[in-house]
Amino acid sequence: MMASTDHIGQSHRRENALRHLAGRGRFVTDLALPRMVHAAFVRSPMAKGKIVELDVTAAAAAPGVVRVFTAETLNPICAPWTGTLDHFAGMKSAPQNMLAEGQVLWAGHPVAMILAHSRAEAEDACELVLLDIEDEDAVVDGDAALVEGTPLVSDGIASNLCYRTVLETPGLEEAFSNAAHVVEGRFTFGRHTAVTLEPRAVVADFDPSTGQLTVHHGTQTPYQFQDVYAHQFGLPDNKVRVIAPDVGGSFGMKLHVYNEEMAVVAASITLGRPVRFVADRLESFVSDVHARDHRVSARMAMDAQGTILAMDVDDMTQIGAFSTYPRTSVAEGNQVIRLMGAPYTMPDYRGRLSVVFQNKVQTSQYRAVGHPIACAVTEALVDRAAEQLDLDPIEIRARNLVADDAYPHVSATGYQFEKLSHHAALAKLRQMMGYETLREEQAALRKQGIYRGIGIASFVEITNPGAAFYGVGGARVSAQDGAIVRLTPSGEVHCAISVTEQGQGTETIIAQVVADQLGVTPDQVKVTTGDTDTTPSGGATWACRGAGIGGETALRAGRRLQAQILAIAGAVLQAEPATLALAEGAVIDRATGQERITLAEIGRIATYRPDTLPEGCDNSLTAVQHFAPTGYPFDFTNGIQASHVEVDIETGVTRLLKHWVVEDCGRIINPLLVDAQIRGGVVQGLGPAFFEECMYDDMGQMTNASLADYLVPMAGEMPDIEIAHIETPTLDTILGAKGVGEAGTAAAGAAAMNAVNDALRPMGARISQTPMTPLRILTALGHV
Amino acid sequence: MELKGSQTLAATPDQVWSALFDRAILEQAIPGCESLEQTSDTSFSAVVKLKIGPVSARFKGDVELSDIAPGLSCTLSGKGSGGIAGFAKGAARVTLTPQGAQTVLDYTADVAVGGKLAALGNRLIKATAQKLTGEFFANFDTALTCEETAPAA
Amino acid sequence: MKADITLTVNGEAVRETVEPRTSLADLLRDNLRLTGTHLGCEMGACGACLVLLDGVPVHACLVLAVQADGQKVETIEGLNESGQIEDLQKTFHDRNALQCGFCTNGMLMSAHALLAGNSDPSRDEIRDALSGNYCRCTGYEAIVDAISATAEHRLSAERRLSKMKGAQ
Amino acid sequence: MKSPAFDYVRAESVADAMSAYAAADGDAVYLSGGHSVMPSLALRLQAPALLIDLSNIAALSGISLDDGWLRIGAMTRHVQALNDPLIAVHAPLFAAAAPFVAHPAIRNRGTLGGSLAHADPASEFPAAAVAMQAELEIASSQGIRRVPADDFFVDIYETAIEPGEVLLAIHVPSPVAGQVIGFDEIARRRGDYAMVGAAVQAVSTDAGLEDVSIALFSVGNHPVRARKAQAALTGRAIDAAAIADAQAALEDDLNPPDDPQFPASMRLHLARVLLGRVLANLEAVA
């Protein structure tokens, strides 16, 4: 079959961007429905305690208030949910309810829900709720949580340990005892959060007359929520419609089940009218999942030549009061210990993981789950090894990266790599950044008291996950996707697909892929996403699966429709379908390229004059295709990043001068959009490396829960980012695309930490904690 | 958050001691106190209005004296709820040491706030706590002195 | 106590009755359904709600609707329809200077104001002008590129124009 | 984050504003640029019964030169501090501070008077006012008084403005011959409140620096005049030794707040570094 690649690989612009530029985005926050009421929540001001009194009488009588719910009146209509999965053997978490029952477990835990005619009135009424909580000692530190005698994080658990596991190769001890060099470090990775510019938003609309529940939900995974709502509220899933319109950022944060969204659905079912909740920024900080929060001890063994023999890693990660549902809060730590050392030919390994509860907001999956931690620890140790062996950071990587011709390769942690291109990436990076020149400049500037640093980080990224991620553990999280492609009666194309759009350009790349199968241009392909009633069921967009799995689904659906069109054309033209092809909006003769009949004509005949088709000719112009990845459990990508910084050694302030990325995401569908993903991802990695941190006091109060105090990366501080590519398509699919959404985030912080430490090296100072704030840098320098 | 301080009071330890249990003096001493009612020999319920820069909130709560070593030391603890603004609580260990005709009052306080105040007021809280603690003991000194000089009823 | 206010929004006279506590942003979004003005923080830190008040970008979340009584407000919808920022919109599109689109309103407002006062901004000046506009998706570079490209286009158009005039 | 309900009045005169305040029994808040008041209302950190909008009061606007003093109306926007030619010449530290104040859109609406009256310990204009030895003109029911900036900033978010009083204007003495200034701050991100900041003004003479005026901010509950550092510089040329002495003197001048996120030792260290840099880069303005 002739595979057209006219549009795949081209930098098509996003049609849906035009709506946003015109102020015509349609977000859940913009939605107003008839009879809609607004929700606000009364939240626990304490990190842990027993609810002694909850009196909502005055609130219920306040102007504009429609209804007040407490745990007693709301929780019974929704089955509790528990964030555990079977493949994380032995993991535990308490069941969760919408509103706190008896005990509050973090500062921000919702206790009562007020519904009013406006959000302002709902907030007015919140002030009238009498809530008395007898506070209990909160567990705020993960290490302390594991000490015998420490109180339990909640009454619902038997231990503060959620999960513990060890991966170990048999040769680990021997590798360390034979090592010529061992380097080690203790690392702390701060807690941070997604801060999507559009906060979490949901409008639930239950129609009691038909039993139909429609939920407009700012999420990346509508089908998952369709299933969650159906199951938790006991509704048939075909009566649950979840619509994710424009979503103002998600990054993993909006695919978890939250108390507030569930409560809004429950309230709509109870009231039989639309209920809206839009988190305000303060609520976002104390209810959106947070990310990371790891303490890692690690050591690396090398032989005399600097060949990495083994790593030994212990990760303690702190997840808040519950493991999230339905994907758990263990996946992050699990990926941390499995991604350690991944780019390198490292035969032996031990990774220990402890996942620990505390009285804080939950942590869970967020862009580049686990990657930044594994990458930062590995790359920091590689740099320390280089320093100890007096090797250049490029040289030590060249000695240890898995050779480009040594695939397939299985890592010491058991990950299977189909084909990666670390050495090609390293060479390209070195050339692109002008490595030698930068080193010369660095040496010259040091003499003037200017301290610049260069940091490098190789990485692999997990993309295109199959069911191995969640499905095998019992999670009702789809690993497959579906597409419906149809030719309209006028010969245009429509594709409805289960992967979703949050601005990364999903709809554009799907249009490109489909266009190439049907011989049309992408602007002739209308793509619909984000509505469970109008698109087939699928996993949607997470873990970098939109392009690889969604794209392949679209490709196969397109080819199926192509075959149907050619069959009809063959019947009409009295030609063998195999002698025909599609190009430029028409059926052409495959050999000569001559136009035989237009798609518009095919559409017209099949739709309005099917009577003219020969008997037995199927007039269907709609093709349906589902696709689940087979072959490798994941398609790994790889790449390398470099960061160039200048540290003001008197103030501890770091200036980011430049950032480079060489990335191999397989077949590139749209270079413009791939680079956009990388740049955005890099900045999302640099943010927590330098600025972002959810700070807590020793009572478990988050103390910087506003955009004035929580420092997100802004334009003034972020560097320009230069990008180059290598294309190693996966052979698992026809399309050959892998994911790219998390690559930037995976290694940016690691490169930056190595760069800062490179700058600090002449002073003998070193930093092993993120964010790398002026305080921490000055402390490392001995100024504080 | 820990606060420490010392205040020299123009009164004997016994006078200071009884003032610590004196509703009227405490009412004058607590910054922003709108009402203070004695609920037992050693406890009071209070309504306090605080205004610090952009924050203005009314706290309802209790003040209690405990760990009492008469004439020497006690712990003054308070807990107040400011509604959706959050809560504040603190305990101050107070010790009295005679110094001639005067008394040196040393305190070590542990103060905490929660909820919205903690979430948003980070830059404010310590400075405010220090300021309010300072004001309390200064007011206490003033009230004590006034009491001393006032003619006996 | 509700207040009657009259203001001009995108060239249209608008009369509304609002509670004094209603922010200009809520008036625009909820009453007038001009939902292109977004709310990201409601405290002036994110820049998603920027509108032009009497021609100058301000945070619609930090202005009360009653304060805008008698004034002129322009929102993204108005700027879009007037064609004033067409070239800026085009370079944003070309350069993919937006992803989720939630910050885009504010970015366009800041860019529009910057270019009105500085026809040839450096990249650093552009980054400075955007220092109050939060974008979680793009990493900013594409936005800086787009604004820079718009300035270049405008300058070269001006140069062409003055050349033509010179030739006449 | 929706404000609690309140009434609103747009005052047409200072007397209007003050009587509205009195009529509300003090349960009122003045609104100038609104950039501090509005967030605190939205966050429900305060709930006044009445908001009194000062923006229409003619007496609060205008920038004029009078007898060696620049009078800057309290309602002057931050952006004017950045662009106004009179401010550039006669209150140069305001002009130097303005680029550090928040972001362009905030500067379009935020007011100088609002900044000074709000008295955030980490904000720029109060320190500039102290360093320039400005005087603040305050209206009360008893009349109008002028308070030197040194006495104006009393404590954290606390100024000499008593409840109900209105800040009318800022008066800045015009620079004299030989005047030099310096302004800088260390912040995490552009436009953030400073970790530490410094505003310096002095007169450069043949006999060395005179009238040295140094105000540091974000090092205490309000702008702090560094008297010992001033003394260390007076009568001396700016050289490495003089700068080092001024830096050393900060130990006595400052008693910075201490907290785990920002230890006192770090503030002192940064204040020294910053003062050194500002002193090394003083610019002549007259």
Side-chain angles (χ1 to χ4, degrees):
Chain A
M1 194 184 294
M2 190 169 76
S4 163
T5 55
D6 283 358
H7 301 289
I8 292 174
Q10 301 298 313
S11 286
H12 283 276
R13 298 175 302 172
R14 287 167 48 217
E15 186 185 67
N16 55 21
L18 292 169
R19 290 189 293 109
H20 294 299
L21 286 163
R24 297 182 68 100
R26 289 292 173 264
F27 298 90
V28 174
T29 38
D30 300 331
L31 188 68
L33 296 179
R35 297 187 73 233
M36 183 171 85
V37 293
H38 299 255
F41 290 87
V42 176
R43 297 172 185 279
S44 170
M46 290 172 191
K48 189 183 172 198
K50 290 272 189 318
I51 299 173
V52 179
E53 191 187 359
L54 177 59
D55 182 350
V56 298
T57 322
V65 171
V66 172
R67 191 72 164 259
V68 179
F69 287 106
T70 61
E72 204 184 334
T73 52
L74 193 70
N75 286 358
I77 79 154
C78 176
W81 57 94
T82 304
T84 57
L85 285 173
D86 298 342
H87 63 315
F88 299 128
M91 83 164 289
K92 292 183 178 61
S93 183
Q96 299 186 62
N97 284 295
M98 296 177 287
L99 298 174
E101 282 185 3
Q103 196 177 31
V104 292
L105 298 174
W106 79 90
H109 198 163
V111 171
M113 174 167 65
I114 292 175
L115 302 174
H117 290 128
S118 71
R119 169 76 185 200
E121 286 171 325
E123 288 187 28
D124 292 345
C126 284
E127 299 204 50
L128 302 175
V129 170
L130 206 75
L131 172 63
D132 188 11
I133 294 172
E134 185 186 318
D135 61 341
E136 302 173 311
D137 283 341
V139 180
V140 295
D141 179 82
D143 284 321
L146 296 179
V147 172
E148 194 126 347
T150 303
L152 292 173
V153 164
S154 79
D155 289 351
I157 51 174
S159 151
N160 289 334
L161 183 70
C162 168
Y163 178 65
R164 180 167 273 169
T165 194
V166 186
L167 293 177
E168 186 169 354
T169 60
L172 189 274
E173 295 295 348
E174 204 187 329
F176 272 92
S177 55
N178 291 341
H181 302 275
V182 174
V183 289
E184 56 188 21
R186 294 173 64 83
F187 302 85
T188 303
F189 299 93
R191 191 177 246 263
H192 52 90
T193 185
V195 200
T196 57
L197 190 49
E198 183 193 31
R200 282 171 30 232
V202 62
V203 176
D205 180 10
F206 182 72
D207 178 353
S209 64
T210 58
Q212 171 72 40
L213 172 69
T214 304
V215 185
H216 306 266
H217 187 161
T219 178
Q220 55 198 98
T221 52
Y223 312 94
Q224 176 195 295
F225 281 102
Q226 178 186 34
D227 183 76
V228 164
Y229 296 141
H231 271 78
Q232 303 306 124
F233 293 102
L235 301 168
D237 63 6
N238 64 351
K239 288 276 195 181
V240 178
R241 178 180 187 185
V242 177
I243 302 171
D246 289 328
V247 180
S250 188
F251 313 111
M253 185 275 284
K254 290 179 183 168
L255 54 63
H256 307 288
V257 168
Y258 290 96
N259 302 61
E260 294 84 358
E261 280 83 332
M262 298 301 276
V264 161
V265 171
S268 181
I269 291 172
T270 307
L271 266 60
R273 62 195 286 186
V275 179
R276 173 189 199 257
F277 170 71
V278 175
D280 65 30
R281 189 53 62 189
L282 174 57
E283 290 183 294
S284 297
F285 277 112
V286 298
S287 65
D288 293 356
V289 296
H290 293 175
R292 319 305 180 211
D293 210 356
H294 297 259
R295 277 182 210 142
V296 182
S297 306
R299 56 189 185 131
M300 181 180 272
M302 279 134 330
D303 70 10
Q305 283 71 47
T307 306
I308 301 168
L309 304 175
M311 279 178 79
D312 183 8
V313 173
D314 193 344
D315 177 24
M316 189 278 291
T317 175
Q318 310 166 88
I319 61 163
F322 298 98
S323 165
T324 51
Y325 184 79
R327 293 166 191 245
T328 81
S329 301
V330 165
E332 159 97 359
N334 184 55
Q335 283 187 198
V336 168
I337 61 163
R338 283 170 199 275
L339 283 163
M340 290 281 176
Y344 301 106
T345 315
M346 175 182 77
D348 285 298
Y349 178 73
R350 177 167 61 202
R352 284 182 278 215
L353 172 67
S354 305
V355 181
V356 185
F357 294 114
Q358 2 149 241
N359 292 107
K360 293 183 185 173
V361 182
Q362 300 171 37
T363 67
S364 198
Q365 283 83 325
Y366 168 61
R367 196 174 197 172
V369 184
H371 293 69
I373 312 304
C375 185
V377 169
T378 303
E379 295 300 302
L381 292 184
V382 168
D383 265 20
R384 285 177 200 190
E387 192 178 350
Q388 189 159 326
L389 280 97
D390 200 22
L391 288 173
D392 186 275
I394 295 248
E395 175 57 26
I396 194 167
R397 286 174 173 82
R399 288 187 193 184
N400 283 287
L401 289 166
V402 177
D404 290 357
D405 59 2
Y407 293 93
H409 172 81
V410 181
S411 78
T413 67
Y415 277 145
Q416 301 170 51
F417 303 134
E418 179 194 11
K419 181 147 176 50
L420 302 177
S421 57
H422 288 298
H423 286 269
L426 178 69
K428 201 164 213 168
L429 177 82
R430 180 182 199 155
Q431 185 259 331
M432 174 169 64
M433 68 190 289
Y435 183 76
E436 284 72 17
T437 313
L438 282 181
R439 285 286 178 209
E440 285 162 21
E441 178 197 76
Q442 177 186 40
L445 288 172
R446 272 184 193 169
K447 289 178 192 149
Q448 303 168 31
I450 294 168
Y451 293 89
R452 292 192 171 174
I454 300 159
I456 291 169
S458 287
F459 66 94
V460 301
E461 192 217 322
I462 303 174
T463 79
N464 294 359
F469 242 41
Y470 298 111
V472 296
R476 295 173 64 86
V477 171
S478 170
Q480 62 82 42
D481 277 279
I484 300 169
V485 180
R486 59 195 164 92
L487 191 71
T488 68
S490 307
E492 309 287 330
V493 179
H494 182 266
C495 175
I497 191 160
S498 57
V499 286
T500 53
E501 168 89 41
Q502 296 86 40
Q504 60 276 77
T506 304
E507 292 176 357
T508 305
I509 60 162
I510 295 301
Q512 288 174 254
V513 170
V514 171
D516 276 359
Q517 312 318 309
L518 299 175
V520 297
T521 57
D523 58 7
Q524 291 175 277
V525 183
K526 163 85 182 286
V527 179
T528 299
T529 62
D531 181 344
T532 60
D533 260 15
T534 60
T535 62
S537 182
T541 303
W542 47 274
C544 286
R545 56 196 305 292
I549 300 177
E552 181 73 4
T553 308
L555 181 144
R556 293 181 183 215
R559 289 196 173 181
R560 184 165 282 200
L561 179 60
Q562 180 193 65
Q564 289 170 209
I565 292 168
L566 293 181
I568 294 171
V572 173
L573 300 169
Q574 302 286 297
E576 263 306 305
T579 66
L580 302 171
L582 300 179
E584 289 174 33
V587 178
I588 60 165
D589 184 279
R590 183 177 287 268
T592 65
Q594 197 184 358
E595 180 181 314
R596 300 292 308 275
I597 185 171
T598 63
L599 288 179
E601 187 60 7
I602 296 283
R604 185 192 66 79
I605 294 169
T607 309
Y608 304 116
R609 295 303 306 274
D611 57 305
T612 63
L613 291 172
E615 198 170 322
C617 177
D618 186 343
N619 73 328
S620 301
L621 286 179
T622 299
V624 183
Q625 178 75 53
H626 283 259
F627 170 74
T630 52
Y632 286 91
F634 318 102
D635 291 326
F636 285 89
T637 71
N638 71 280
I640 189 163
Q641 300 193 19
S643 165
H644 192 209
V645 305
E646 184 173 307
V647 180
D648 183 333
I649 60 161
E650 289 185 321
T651 64
V653 173
T654 304
R655 197 152 62 94
L656 303 175
L657 302 172
K658 187 85 192 258
H659 202 94
W660 297 269
V661 182
V662 180
E663 216 275 338
D664 184 347
C665 60
R667 181 99 169 260
I668 293 174
I669 302 171
N670 185 321
L672 178 72
L673 300 181
V674 161
D675 287 1
Q677 283 303 298
I678 292 173
R679 289 204 171 87
V682 164
V683 167
Q684 242 168 338
L686 293 176
F690 291 98
F691 296 105
E692 297 179 55
E693 185 171 24
C694 301
M695 292 193 284
Y696 279 84
D697 69 10
D698 54 12
M699 299 205 331
Q701 297 287 337
M702 185 177 169
T703 59
N704 61 336
S706 81
L707 271 179
D709 295 323
Y710 180 95
L711 306 184
V712 289
M714 298 296 278
E717 290 68 39
M718 290 298 117
D720 280 342
I721 299 156
E722 200 175 328
I723 301 168
H725 299 280
I726 294 164
E727 280 191 70
T728 310
T730 172
L731 302 179
D732 269 358
T733 61
I734 304 165
L735 182 61
K738 309 179 199 175
V740 71
E742 301 171 276
T745 310
M753 187 186 269
N754 280 352
V756 168
N757 282 323
D758 187 46
L760 297 178
R761 192 158 292 126
M763 277 69 66
R766 180 186 277 164
I767 186 163
S768 309
Q769 181 171 9
T770 61
M772 296 178 280
T773 61
L775 171 60
R776 289 174 185 144
I777 289 175
L778 289 177
T779 306
L781 286 164
H783 288 315
V784 177
Chain B
M1 156 180 47
E2 217 182 66
L3 305 169
K4 277 184 182 165
S6 183
Q7 180 95 17
T8 304
L9 304 166
T12 66
D14 281 350
Q15 288 165 333
V16 173
W17 186 257
S18 58
L20 279 173
F21 292 78
D22 185 324
R23 194 206 66 83
I25 289 187
L26 288 175
E27 186 170 29
Q28 290 172 65
I30 296 170
C33 188
E34 293 189 333
S35 77
L36 186 73
E37 280 171 36
Q38 188 140 15
T39 46
S40 80
D41 283 353
T42 56
S43 61
F44 305 86
S45 73
V47 177
V48 174
K49 188 173 181 191
L50 294 178
K51 173 148 177 50
I52 311 103
V55 180
S56 166
R58 187 173 270 112
F59 288 83
K60 290 178 190 156
D62 303 306
V63 181
E64 202 171 312
L65 294 116
S66 58
D67 299 332
I68 296 166
L72 295 173
S73 67
C74 68
T75 300
L76 203 67
S77 44
K79 184 180 151 185
S81 167
I84 63 166
F87 68 90
K89 61 176 187 172
R93 184 72 193 159
V94 174
T95 54
L96 306 180
T97 315
Q99 192 180 69
Q102 298 183 318
T103 303
V104 177
L105 184 156
D106 290 294
Y107 61 87
T108 310
D110 200 3
V111 180
V113 297
K116 209 183 275 187
L117 284 175
L120 300 166
N122 196 28
R123 289 195 310 130
L124 252 181
I125 285 161
K126 182 137 190 189
T128 302
Q130 259 161 348
K131 176 177 157 177
L132 295 177
T133 312
E135 274 179 27
F136 172 81
F137 288 109
N139 294 345
F140 185 73
D141 190 21
T142 311
L144 192 63
T145 319
C146 293
E147 188 103 325
E148 290 304 295
T149 52
Chain C
M1 185 180 67
K2 287 201 172 188
D4 291 326
I5 56 171
T6 308
L7 58 164
T8 307
V9 179
N10 298 328
E12 297 170 21
V14 170
R15 268 183 71 174
E16 286 286 323
T17 303
V18 295
E19 278 192 287
R21 63 164 149 179
T22 307
S23 71
L24 176 58
D26 285 343
L27 172 82
L28 295 171
R29 290 177 49 78
D30 298 342
N31 298 39
L32 307 180
R33 303 295 292 144
L34 291 166
T35 54
T37 300
H38 296 149
L39 283 174
C41 71
E42 296 178 273
M43 59 182 294
C46 79
C49 70
L50 295 185
V51 297
L52 301 183
L53 185 64
D54 284 345
V56 174
V58 301
H59 292 86
C61 73
L62 296 184
V63 177
L64 293 171
V66 288
Q67 287 181 288
D69 187 17
Q71 296 193 270
K72 261 172 52 184
V73 178
E74 275 176 287
T75 70
I76 179 72
E77 290 89 347
L79 284 185
N80 176 62
E81 283 182 11
S82 72
Q84 289 174 76
I85 55 166
E86 203 176 327
D87 55 349
L88 200 51
Q89 290 167 310
K90 182 176 181 307
T91 52
F92 266 61
H93 187 220
D94 289 346
R95 193 59 190 80
N96 201 48
L98 66 153
Q99 290 182 28
C100 80
F102 211 75
C103 75
T104 307
N105 162 66
M107 291 293 178
L108 289 171
M109 293 286 169
S110 288
H112 179 55
L114 169 72
L115 295 178
N118 181 351
S119 61
D120 190 16
S122 67
R123 289 182 76 80
D124 192 60
E125 285 170 327
I126 295 171
R127 287 186 179 272
D128 201 57
L130 301 178
S131 66
N133 289 91
Y134 172 50
C135 168
R136 186 49 126 178
C137 302
T138 63
Y140 302 103
E141 187 172 341
I143 299 171
V144 176
D145 290 346
I147 296 170
S148 184
T150 308
E152 276 170 38
H153 294 157
R154 288 185 187 179
L155 279 176
S156 63
E158 246 170 62
R159 276 194 291 268
R160 274 199 308 275
L161 204 66
S162 61
K163 246 187 209 165
M164 276 162 56
K165 278 185 185 154
Q168 275 167 3
Chain D
M1 275 180 62
K2 303 298 176 194
S3 300
F6 48 75
D7 284 336
Y8 168 89
V9 56
R10 197 185 280 187
E12 297 299 328
S13 70
V14 174
D16 248 21
M18 290 196 296
S19 65
Y21 193 97
D25 263 345
D27 194 4
V29 165
Y30 289 130
L31 190 63
S32 51
H35 284 16
S36 304
V37 172
M38 290 290 291
S40 79
L41 290 172
L43 290 162
R44 294 185 180 235
L45 294 172
Q46 56 175 336
L50 176 68
L51 240 60
I52 304 166
D53 188 348
L54 305 178
S55 63
N56 238 26
I57 302 175
L60 300 187
S61 64
I63 301 165
S64 57
L65 196 58
D66 180 28
D67 197 21
W69 289 77
L70 188 69
R71 182 192 189 277
I72 304 170
M75 199 56 62
T76 299
R77 309 280 176 185
H78 297 165
V79 67
Q80 290 172 272
L82 201 60
N83 298 331
D84 184 86
L86 281 175
I87 290 181
V89 173
H90 298 281
L93 273 175
F94 278 155
F100 293 93
V101 178
H103 313 289
I106 297 279
R107 296 197 289 260
N108 284 338
R109 199 156 170 86
T111 65
L112 273 172
S115 264
L116 297 175
H118 184 57
D120 190 295
S123 80
E124 292 83 2
F125 290 130
V130 170
M132 288 190 292
Q133 294 165 330
E135 295 185 2
L136 292 310
E137 183 185 346
I138 300 166
S140 75
S141 50
Q142 268 80 56
I144 289 172
R145 68 183 190 282
R146 268 166 79 151
V147 179
D150 274 313
D151 303 329
F152 180 79
F153 299 102
V154 175
D155 205 333
I156 185 163
Y157 297 110
E158 201 179 319
T159 68
I161 305 172
E162 295 295 328
E165 296 183 342
V166 175
L167 177 64
L168 297 179
I170 305 117
H171 295 265
V172 181
S174 286
V176 298
Q179 190 138 319
V180 292
I181 63 155
F183 188 98
D184 201 357
E185 68 177 42
I186 303 167
R188 297 289 302 278
R189 303 172 306 176
R190 292 188 205 192
D192 280 353
Y193 279 117
M195 291 196 286
V196 166
V200 176
Q201 175 176 295
V203 179
S204 180
T205 71
D206 293 344
L209 292 184
E210 299 297 338
D211 289 332
V212 183
S213 179
I214 300 174
L216 299 170
F217 56 104
S218 209
V219 291
N221 286 355
H222 54 78
V224 177
R225 178 173 293 285
R227 294 183 194 282
K228 291 260 163 58
Q230 291 174 178
L233 292 164
T234 301
R236 295 175 70 181
I238 283 287
D239 55 22
I243 290 175
D245 288 346
Q247 288 174 308
L250 291 183
E251 174 97 57
D252 294 329
D253 281 325
L254 304 182
N255 179 23
D258 191 40
D259 77 70
Q261 312 298 348
F262 203 163
S265 58
M266 177 171 169
R267 282 194 208 264
L268 183 59
H269 169 80
L270 291 181
R272 283 181 174 151
V273 169
L274 185 69
L275 181 62
R277 291 181 182 184
V278 171
L279 291 174
N281 291 292
L282 292 176
E283 269 182 70
V285 292

